[in-house]
Amino acid sequence: MRGEEPGAERVEAAGVALRGVGRAFRTPAGTHDVLAGVDADIAAGSTVALLGASGSGKSTLLRLVAGLDAPTAGTVEVGGEVVRGVNARTGVVFQEPRLLPWRDLAGNVALGLPRGTPRAQGRAQVLHRLETVGLAGFAGHRPRRVSGGMAQRAALARALVRRPGVLLMDEPFAALDALTRLRMQDLLDDVQRSTGATVLLVTHDVDEALHLADRVLVLGTTEDRAGAHVVRDLRVDVPRPRDRGDADLAHLRVELLELLGVPRSHA
């Protein structure tokens, strides 16, 4: 469906503000600071990618924005309000689709509907979101009858049916084959531009970040802090939709890989 507008009405996008955010965990060896002093402003309607080495706190930060966890220092705001508990303005897509095997795809997507949605209205919204992600003809299929890419499309539809102002994605395409991953990236780009939602994407893939994001926040550690924080805020000033062979993206790719510890000779 690349190049088509998925026919989804625009949502009320929300900005995200991170103010001195820290998250520490108690371990038998003592306190472990995963995040320390994370500061960032994410504009409503933008797409921001979180990059960093394994264990740099990317998924932890995403959980804090979703309200699935609470910071031990600082504050997280969505739409100007401090996050306290699960936030109704956010929708989450995880690395695994997490579909219930005894429900068909429509039934799984319906789990994302806001509580109290009238049945007829909810059914229409579910079918609309399945159409948005290219699954209009698979509403009655059980998860075992569809591919991994289709299952992840259903997971995206389940998040979208909430009409989230902020769409949080935790390595949503990591388990997919290379070709399906590229198609899912294009789908996400289409959906974001159509709905206008704010997207915060956790990824290990530099090319994915550069293809989708308006900004790339690199998380890492420095000698002055025990936990990870934003060590680079890179703006990607390339119009979307983007050509993966764009020369400007190639230059940014080298810069990001060097930040992540990949020497220029191997980039």
Side-chain angles (χ1 to χ4, degrees):
M1 58 183 295
R2 186 65 174 164
E4 300 177 4
E5 289 302 323
E9 68 277 7
R10 296 183 71 81
V11 300
E12 185 181 348
V16 177
L18 308 172
R19 300 281 182 262
V21 173
R23 183 64 174 99
F25 296 90
R26 293 183 181 276
T27 71
T31 301
H32 174 52
D33 293 305
V34 176
L35 299 170
V38 177
D39 290 295
D41 285 290
I42 297 169
S46 65
T47 298
V48 172
L50 293 175
L51 273 180
S54 295
S56 61
K58 301 183 299 297
S59 294
T60 298
L61 187 58
L62 205 73
R63 289 176 58 84
L64 296 178
V65 177
L68 298 172
D69 191 11
T72 48
T75 59
V76 177
E77 297 179 7
V78 172
E81 299 179 358
V82 176
V83 174
R84 294 186 175 88
V86 176
N87 195 302
R89 300 188 67 176
T90 62
V92 185
V93 180
F94 299 98
Q95 183 173 336
E96 299 297 332
R98 301 188 182 184
L99 303 180
L100 299 179
W102 58 87
R103 283 179 174 251
D104 59 20
L105 296 190
N108 272 284
V109 173
L111 294 174
L113 288 167
R115 185 172 298 180
T117 302
R119 178 169 298 189
Q121 179 183 342
R123 177 69 177 174
Q125 291 175 1
V126 166
L127 294 178
H128 172 61
R129 291 308 181 187
L130 284 170
E131 182 179 5
T132 296
V133 300
L135 293 176
F138 298 89
H141 283 54
R142 298 287 177 88
R144 67 177 180 272
R145 294 184 57 198
V146 301
S147 67
M150 293 169 72
Q152 198 64 325
R153 285 173 181 254
L156 176 57
R158 182 179 56 201
L160 291 174
V161 84
R162 293 173 58 85
R163 293 182 49 78
V166 181
L167 184 60
L168 305 170
M169 310 195 75
D170 192 0
E171 296 192 69
F173 313 138
L176 304 177
D177 65 83
L179 183 56
T180 302
R181 182 170 188 150
L182 294 178
R183 289 171 175 163
M184 288 296 294
Q185 290 169 5
D186 289 342
L187 171 64
L188 175 59
D189 191 32
D190 286 339
V191 167
Q192 191 282 325
R193 288 185 294 112
S194 176
T195 63
T198 307
V199 174
L200 187 56
L201 170 71
V202 167
T203 180
H204 278 100
D205 188 328
V206 168
D207 292 319
E208 182 169 272
L210 290 174
H211 183 62
L212 294 171
D214 302 304
R215 289 163 59 207
V216 180
L217 303 182
V218 181
L219 295 182
T221 57
T222 52
E223 292 182 359
D224 61 329
R225 295 186 218 177
H229 52 281
V230 178
V231 296
R232 183 73 164 91
D233 183 345
L234 181 72
R235 188 168 297 278
V236 186
D237 289 322
V238 178
R240 294 162 56 202
R242 292 172 181 155
D243 179 349
R244 288 184 171 86
D246 191 293
D248 291 332
L249 295 182
H251 290 302
L252 293 173
R253 179 178 185 273
V254 171
E255 181 178 347
L256 284 175
L257 287 172
E258 287 185 329
L259 277 170
L260 295 170
V262 180
R264 183 176 291 266
S265 60
H266 298 290

